[in-house]
Amino acid sequence: MSRTNRHRAVVVGTGHRAQMFTRALAERPGHLVAALCDPSPTRMAFHNGLLTAAGEPAAAQWEPDRFDELLAEEDIDEVVVTTVDAEHDRYIVPALKAGCRVVTEKPMTVDADRCARILDTVRDTGNSLTVAFNYRFNPVHEKVRALLAEGAIGEVLSVHFEWLLDVRHGADYFRRWHREKRNSGGLMVHKSSHHFDLVNWWLADEPQEVFGYGRLGFYGRAAGERHGLRRDYDRAHGAAAAADDLFALDLAADDTLRALYLDAEQDDGYLRDRNVFDGPVTIEDDMAVLVRYGAGPTMTYHLTAYSPWEGYRVMFNGSAGRLELEVEESRWQPPRARITSGSGAVHGDTAAEHAGGARLTLRPLWRPPVDIPLVTAHEAHGGGDPRMLDALFGPVNPAHPSDAGAGTHPTATERDGALALAVGLAANQCFESGLPVRVCDVVPGTGERRPRESA
C-alpha cells in the first residue's frame, strides 16, 4: 500500500498507553493517524509531537462529543480505543456501525450491559473488533499453549495461578482513575482480564462458574491508618507531606508524565497522583477466585497488589504430569525508584531494575523433570507488545516481517473479550454476595463447553 493510500486511523484517548499505538501506526507504511480524540488538547498536542517526530503529519484534534462527526469528516476506517475503560463502548459501538475496523485496549468494557451492547453491535454489523490482549503474544505464553495443546501433560485437570503486583506497580492503580470501580471494573476486570484470557486461551475452554473473595486490605484510608502508612495529603504534587512518602508519584520529575498529566490538568481536572491511602477507593487489592471450566478443569487464582516482588506462578496439573511456569518481573523494588520509561509508564515498557527470569518446567509422571528453553524479554510486556502490533497492523518493514504471532496469530475477538470480562464480573458479584455465580448469568451466550482447539 502506498503512503498516499493508507488506512486512516483515529486514536481515541491519548494517555501514556496510547503512545504505543500512535507510534506503531506512524511507523507502518499502510496506516495514517488522521485524527486524535480526547477531552484534553494538551494530551493530543503531545501525541501530535510523536507523529511529527516520526516524520508524519499532525493529526486533526477532536473532542469526544463530536466522535460521530469525526468518523465521517476524517474518512476514518480504523479506530483504536485507549480511553478510560468505562468509556470504551462509547466509541466501539458507533465505530462498528460506521463500518470501521476497531481495536480496543483491554478490558473490552466494564459491565454486563456495555458488553451486551458491544456484542449485539458486532453481530448486527458483521464488523471486526479486536481486543488488545498483548500477553497472548509473549513467546513464553505461546510456548505454554503449545505444550498443553500437544498433550505434554495429558488432560489438564487443574490450574493454580498466582499473580503479584509489586508496591510500585500495584500502587499505581490506586493513584489513578482505576481506583474507582465505576471507571475500571476493579482489578478483577482491568488487570485480571489479561490473566483470565490467558487461561481461557491456554485451555481452549470457557469458564462456567466462579466463586471468590476480595477485600481492600492494604490501600485506602482505613488500611493506611491501620498499618501506619498514611500521610495526610490528597495528591502528591505540591504536598509537603508527600515528600517522604514512598508511595507518592512525582509527576514533575518525569518529562512525559508532566506533559501528559500535570500540564493537562487545566483541560479536564484529572489528577494522576492521588494519595493511595486516601479516598475514594472502591476497588479491592487482594482477591482469591475459584473458576470451573466447561471441560472439567478448575482454576484457583489469587491477585495481590502490594507485593515486595512482581511476577507470577502458574501450574497445570494433568493426567500425564505437571507444567510449572514462574516469572520474576522484578525481584524487589527499591524506594523512590526513578521512572526510566520514555513513555512515562510506571511499569511494563522497560526492564525492571531488579528483573529476575522465567523458568518453565515440565514434570512428567515417572520421569525426571525437564527444563524447557525459553526466549524471554522483560521490556514491552515480555516482548508481547511489538509482536501484537505486528499482528494487528503489519510489520514496520513489510519486506522483513518478524515472527509476530508465530504460527498461531492469537488476536483476541469480541467473544474472547467477553469471556475474560465475564470471569471478572462474576468475581465482583461474589465479593458482594458471598455466593457462586454462573458465567452465563453475567454475560449471556458465554460459559459454553467448546471442543479443544489445536495449536
Side-chain angles (χ1 to χ4, degrees):
M1 184 179 293
S2 72
R3 295 190 74 86
T4 57
N5 183 26
R6 299 190 283 178
H7 295 296
R8 293 178 60 82
V10 57
V11 177
V12 189
T14 53
H16 77 80
R17 180 63 175 166
Q19 295 173 81
M20 178 185 76
F21 292 100
T22 299
R23 288 192 174 101
L25 292 165
E27 291 171 346
R28 286 162 169 82
H31 304 267
L32 171 70
V33 180
L36 301 167
C37 183
D38 194 281
S40 169
T42 304
R43 283 194 291 272
M44 288 190 285
F46 179 92
H47 278 253
N48 264 329
L50 300 178
L51 293 174
T52 56
E56 290 286 281
Q61 297 183 186
W62 288 77
E63 298 174 355
D65 289 344
R66 300 177 62 200
F67 183 68
D68 287 351
E69 184 182 350
L70 178 166
L71 294 176
E73 287 202 14
E74 301 293 346
D75 193 24
I76 298 297
D77 54 19
E78 193 166 49
V79 176
V80 178
V81 180
T82 61
T83 64
V84 171
D85 299 344
E87 295 286 302
H88 285 183
D89 68 303
R90 176 182 176 184
Y91 305 100
I92 292 171
V93 169
L96 289 171
K97 289 180 177 179
C100 300
R101 179 207 181 195
V102 184
V103 174
T104 183
E105 259 294 350
K106 61 83 200 162
M108 188 170 74
T109 187
V110 299
D111 62 37
D113 290 342
R114 288 178 171 94
C115 181
R117 183 171 177 239
I118 291 170
L119 294 177
D120 289 346
T121 305
V122 171
R123 184 192 63 240
D124 293 344
T125 63
N127 290 329
S128 171
L129 174 63
T130 303
V131 184
F133 282 124
N134 55 352
Y135 281 178
R136 288 188 176 204
F137 292 86
N138 183 324
V140 173
H141 299 158
E142 290 184 341
K143 184 64 176 179
V144 168
R145 177 178 163 88
L147 286 168
L148 295 176
E150 70 189 29
I153 63 169
E155 179 188 351
V156 179
L157 303 175
S158 67
V159 183
H160 306 286
F161 199 163
E162 178 185 29
W163 200 287
L164 299 151
L165 298 171
D166 65 36
V167 284
R168 186 181 185 209
H169 185 192
D172 207 42
Y173 294 107
F174 296 83
R175 301 185 185 108
R176 301 182 278 173
W177 53 263
H178 306 75
R179 64 197 257 147
E180 295 188 62
K181 193 170 285 190
R182 63 184 176 87
N183 292 328
S184 66
L187 290 177
M188 282 287 95
V189 168
H190 178 82
K191 182 62 182 174
S192 297
S193 62
H194 267 315
H195 317 149
F196 300 145
D197 176 69
L198 271 180
V199 176
N200 297 345
W201 180 63
W202 278 331
L203 298 181
D205 202 353
E206 297 197 356
Q208 288 198 327
E209 191 170 44
V210 177
F211 180 70
Y213 292 108
R215 65 178 298 208
L216 181 64
F218 185 81
Y219 301 104
R221 187 183 186 110
E225 290 177 345
R226 188 168 69 250
H227 301 307
L229 295 171
R230 185 177 181 275
R231 304 291 181 268
D232 190 16
Y233 65 92
D234 177 53
R235 53 87 54 96
H237 183 67
D244 63 346
D245 185 1
L246 299 180
F247 292 87
L249 178 66
D250 186 355
L251 294 176
D254 179 84
D255 290 343
T256 303
L257 287 175
R258 182 176 62 249
L260 282 174
Y261 299 107
L262 193 60
D263 293 349
E265 288 177 12
Q266 61 184 337
D267 298 336
D268 57 8
Y270 171 56
L271 303 181
R272 174 66 176 78
D273 60 344
R274 300 290 300 276
N275 184 349
V276 302
F277 298 114
D278 206 357
V281 177
T282 58
I283 66 173
E284 299 82 10
D285 56 27
D286 193 293
M287 294 135 279
V289 177
L290 176 64
V291 182
R292 178 173 60 83
Y293 279 82
T298 56
M299 175 181 67
T300 54
Y301 172 85
H302 202 114
L303 176 65
T304 302
Y306 52 89
S307 172
W309 71 279
E310 175 133 347
Y312 49 103
R313 300 184 180 103
V314 57
M315 289 79 74
F316 303 85
N317 294 306
S319 60
R322 178 177 167 99
L323 186 64
E324 302 173 345
L325 173 64
E326 181 172 24
V327 178
E328 286 185 309
E329 294 184 345
S330 72
R331 298 180 64 245
W332 68 286
Q333 279 293 348
R336 309 292 287 184
R338 180 178 176 272
I339 294 174
T340 56
S341 164
S343 71
V346 172
H347 176 85
D349 280 10
T350 57
E353 183 179 355
H354 301 284
R359 293 167 292 280
L360 182 60
T361 306
L362 175 63
R363 299 182 183 273
L365 296 180
W366 313 114
R367 286 180 289 162
V370 179
D371 292 327
I372 306 298
L374 295 174
V375 177
T376 61
H378 291 288
E379 65 276 8
H381 294 95
D385 282 349
R387 300 175 90 235
M388 178 186 72
L389 292 169
D390 278 2
L392 290 174
F393 306 119
V396 173
N397 184 350
H400 298 91
S402 73
D403 67 341
T408 58
H409 303 288
T411 51
T413 68
E414 71 284 345
R415 184 177 181 84
D416 298 319
L419 284 165
L421 172 65
V423 176
L425 294 180
N428 282 339
Q429 286 190 21
C430 294
F431 300 164
E432 295 291 331
S433 69
L435 299 172
V437 175
R438 294 192 306 170
V439 168
C440 64
D441 291 338
V442 178
V443 178
T446 60
E448 302 169 358
R449 181 168 180 168
R450 292 183 158 236
R452 187 178 180 86
E453 301 171 0
S454 60

